């Protein structure tokens, strides 16, 4: 059965469906080999379904639910609904040819997150960037990108920011090294506007920004930036995302999540308070102007 015609992003709903399929197979005391013998679904396909690598076709899902003796109509429809809704965010689909799979996966998870804890050492957090700053920083980081590619990436970044403007906004807690604000990206005017806008957004009730000043010395965030995404349903584990020159990395391993959460707590403790951070940002604006 061909479930791999198009590889979907591992969205939260797809992960939840995969977990349900693993649980149902375990409850039925069936190995993957036994499922293949009784349904014709290959072990490779079943593995990919159970690890959120692919989304099942309707007939495949029905075959599994029949085998696992899921007879309750509502339970079956709930699982089919998870499958139908597990696709990529619609607005993101038009950018698939330009964005890496890892970055698109991060955006898909971010769309479903309740809270993001983000530490940045060299950049203003993407969810808080102005259009001019985003344009300058993307062009600088990707020197071979065409103007059109830069513009498309900026549009994606601005679209992501709508999460902070919706009726139930994303909760964002950002801790940023002062170095990110001292680097004059795009020129003094662009940077001053970025810092002014950042101070305004940091005053929103669902946004917190803390700055780690230079005089704090060495701190546990110096090895690199990271984000921890948390979700409304406690059944959905937190996800850690790190971005580096070697590639992006996702993990929901409990030890890794605990380590990054502890690191974030340490960073909060060495940073100045949100109120003092806003004052620091305003002072930096004055210096630039």
């Amino acid at each position: 059965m061909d479930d791999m015609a198009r590889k979907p992003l591992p969205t939260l709903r797809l992960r939840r469906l995969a977990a349900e399929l693993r649980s149902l197979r375990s409850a039925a005391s069936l190995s993957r080999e036994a499922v293949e013998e009784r349904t014709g679904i290959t072990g490779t396909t079943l593995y990919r379904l159970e690890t959120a690598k692919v989304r099942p076709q309707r007939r495949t899902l029905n075959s599994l639910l029949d085998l696992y003796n899921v007879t309750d109509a509502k339970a079956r429809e709930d699982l089919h609904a998870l499958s139908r809704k597990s696709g990529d965010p619609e607005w993101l689909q038009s950018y698939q040819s330009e964005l890496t799979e890892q970055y698109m996966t991060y955006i898909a998870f971010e769309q479903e997150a309740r809270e993001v804890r983000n530490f940045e050492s060299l950049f203003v957090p993407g969810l808080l960037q102005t259009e001019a700053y985003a344009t300058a920083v993307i062009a600088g980081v990707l020197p071979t990108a065409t103007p059109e590619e830069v513009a498309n990436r900026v549009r994606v970044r601005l679209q992501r920011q709508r999460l902070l403007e919706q009726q139930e906004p994303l909760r964002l807690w950002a801790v940023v090294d002062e170095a990110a604000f001292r680097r004059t990206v795009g020129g003094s005017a662009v940077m001053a506007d970025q810092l002014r806008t950042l101070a305004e957004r940091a005053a929103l009730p669902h946004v917190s920004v803390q700055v780690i000043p230079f005089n704090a010395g060495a701190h546990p965030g110096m090895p690199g930036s990271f984000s921890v995404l948390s979700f409304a349903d406690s059944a959905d584990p937190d996800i850690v995302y790190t971005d580096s020159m070697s590639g992006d990395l996702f993990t929901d391993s409990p030890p890794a999540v605990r380590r990054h959460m502890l690191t974030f707590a340490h960073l909060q403790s060495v940073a100045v308070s949100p109120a003092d951070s806003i004052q620091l940002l305003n002072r930096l604006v004055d210096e630039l102007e």
Side-chain angles (χ1 to χ4, degrees):
M1 297 184 183
D2 183 12
D3 286 285
M4 292 173 279
R6 177 181 179 277
K7 185 178 180 182
L9 298 178
T11 61
L12 190 66
R13 291 183 180 91
L14 192 60
R15 290 205 315 160
R16 196 176 298 157
L17 176 62
E20 289 288 346
L21 292 176
R22 292 196 304 270
S23 178
L24 288 170
R25 182 170 62 81
S26 176
S29 300
L30 292 170
S31 66
R32 290 197 180 103
E33 291 76 13
V35 172
E36 180 174 359
E37 290 175 3
R38 297 173 65 172
T39 65
I41 301 170
T42 68
T44 299
T45 296
L46 186 59
Y47 169 78
R48 294 187 178 188
L49 292 175
E50 292 184 349
T51 55
K53 303 295 185 185
V54 296
R55 184 171 61 224
Q57 294 181 355
R58 184 174 183 84
R59 68 175 182 273
T60 302
L61 184 54
N62 278 330
S63 295
L64 292 173
L65 297 183
D66 290 342
L67 178 62
Y68 301 152
N69 198 31
V70 180
T71 58
D72 182 79
K74 184 178 185 306
R76 292 177 73 100
E77 176 52 34
D78 286 347
L79 291 171
H80 276 291
L82 271 181
S83 182
R84 287 194 304 272
K85 298 175 181 178
S86 63
D88 318 338
E90 289 185 7
W91 67 266
L92 190 56
Q93 294 175 5
S94 60
Y95 298 102
Q96 286 184 337
S97 63
E98 299 180 33
L99 304 179
T100 65
E101 181 181 332
Q102 293 93 333
Y103 183 40
M104 290 182 62
T105 297
Y106 176 80
I107 294 173
F109 282 136
E110 186 182 66
Q111 298 289 305
E112 299 178 286
R114 176 194 62 189
E115 182 173 19
V116 173
R117 298 172 179 86
N118 180 202
F119 167 70
E120 292 290 347
S121 57
L122 296 174
F123 301 98
V124 171
L127 288 172
L128 300 173
Q129 292 179 6
T130 64
E131 182 174 358
Y133 177 94
T135 300
V137 82
I138 290 171
V141 170
L142 301 174
T144 61
T146 66
E148 182 181 4
E149 289 170 339
V150 171
N152 284 338
R153 284 177 173 267
V154 171
R155 278 194 286 272
V156 169
R157 193 154 297 183
L158 297 179
Q159 177 71 33
R160 288 172 52 207
Q161 294 178 6
R162 294 185 182 181
L163 293 171
L164 300 176
E165 302 166 0
Q166 58 192 9
Q167 187 172 1
E168 293 186 14
L170 176 72
R171 175 80 174 90
L172 173 63
W173 199 300
V175 178
V176 188
D177 194 293
E178 185 178 347
F181 306 134
R182 291 289 183 179
R183 184 173 298 278
T184 309
V185 174
S188 297
V190 168
M191 200 65 201
D193 182 60
Q194 171 64 81
L195 296 179
R196 188 184 305 106
T197 301
L198 181 60
E200 293 170 356
R201 292 177 182 173
L204 295 172
H206 54 282
V207 176
S208 296
V209 175
Q210 286 184 263
V211 180
I212 300 179
F214 281 148
N215 62 16
H219 59 76
M222 293 175 71
S225 303
F226 64 89
S227 294
V228 181
L229 287 73
S230 301
F231 305 93
D233 193 326
S234 59
D236 297 316
D238 292 350
I239 295 174
V240 172
Y241 171 76
T242 56
D243 180 12
S244 72
M245 290 290 289
S246 299
D248 305 350
L249 175 66
F250 289 93
T251 181
D252 59 4
S253 162
V257 171
R258 284 195 297 271
R259 184 170 65 253
H260 282 83
M261 290 290 281
L262 180 60
T263 297
F264 194 81
H266 279 299
L267 294 170
Q268 289 177 291
S269 70
V270 299
V272 298
S273 70
D276 289 342
S277 294
I278 291 175
Q279 291 183 8
L280 189 155
L281 291 170
N282 287 327
R283 287 198 302 272
L284 293 177
V285 172
D286 291 340
E287 290 179 16
L288 286 167
E289 293 181 335

